[in-house]
């Protein structure tokens, strides 16, 4: 069973706690500028481990030092609490790098 979709109000409220993230339709996205290519790859590795543990996988675009994460619960057709939780996790992992 898919998790419940968040309402527009729930999404807006959640994004107040995720200031680096923006909504783009049925997903949220954040681009991080890493200090080096290898630092960006390491961040992706750490996010991949967290995503695998949560069984919730982001779309990831790597362009040299710029890493863009896009989150959406595809099985639910939009944004759920799982996306917001993973966004918080990505923010924490980035802050630790």
């Amino acid at each position: 069973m898919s998790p419940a979709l968040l309402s527009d109000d729930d999404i807006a409220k959640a994004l107040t706690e995720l200031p680096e993230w923006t909504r783009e339709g049925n997903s949220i996205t954040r681009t991080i500028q890493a200090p080096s290519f290898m630092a960006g790859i390491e961040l992706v590795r750490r996010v991949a481990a967290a995503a695998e543990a949560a069984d919730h996988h982001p779309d990831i675009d790597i362009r040299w030092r710029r890493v863009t994460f896009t989150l959406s619960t595809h099985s639910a057709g939009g944004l759920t609490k799982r996306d917001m939780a993973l966004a918080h996790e990505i923010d924490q992992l980035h802050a630790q790098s």
Side-chain angles (χ1 to χ4, degrees):
M1 184 172 182
S2 296
L5 287 173
L6 296 174
S7 69
D8 287 337
D9 288 342
D10 290 338
I11 294 167
K13 182 179 177 187
L15 289 176
T16 65
E17 298 174 7
L18 296 162
E20 302 295 325
W21 293 82
T22 57
R23 183 176 184 182
E24 295 183 5
N26 288 331
S27 62
I28 57 173
T29 187
R30 177 177 183 192
T31 299
I32 295 170
Q33 181 83 18
S36 68
F37 177 74
M38 291 308 295
I41 295 299
E42 177 59 19
L43 175 61
V44 168
R45 187 200 63 74
R46 293 170 54 208
V47 168
E52 188 68 14
D55 192 30
H56 190 59
H57 305 91
D59 292 334
I60 303 171
D61 181 54
I62 304 166
R63 300 193 183 245
W64 188 43
R65 298 181 344 186
R66 291 173 44 94
V67 181
T68 301
F69 298 97
T70 302
L71 304 175
S72 183
T73 304
H74 301 291
S75 62
L79 292 162
T80 67
K81 289 182 180 180
R82 296 181 80 194
D83 301 301
M84 301 309 169
L86 187 54
H88 279 286
E89 182 76 17
I90 291 169
D91 285 353
Q92 289 175 345
L93 291 169
H94 173 61
Q96 295 169 1
S97 55

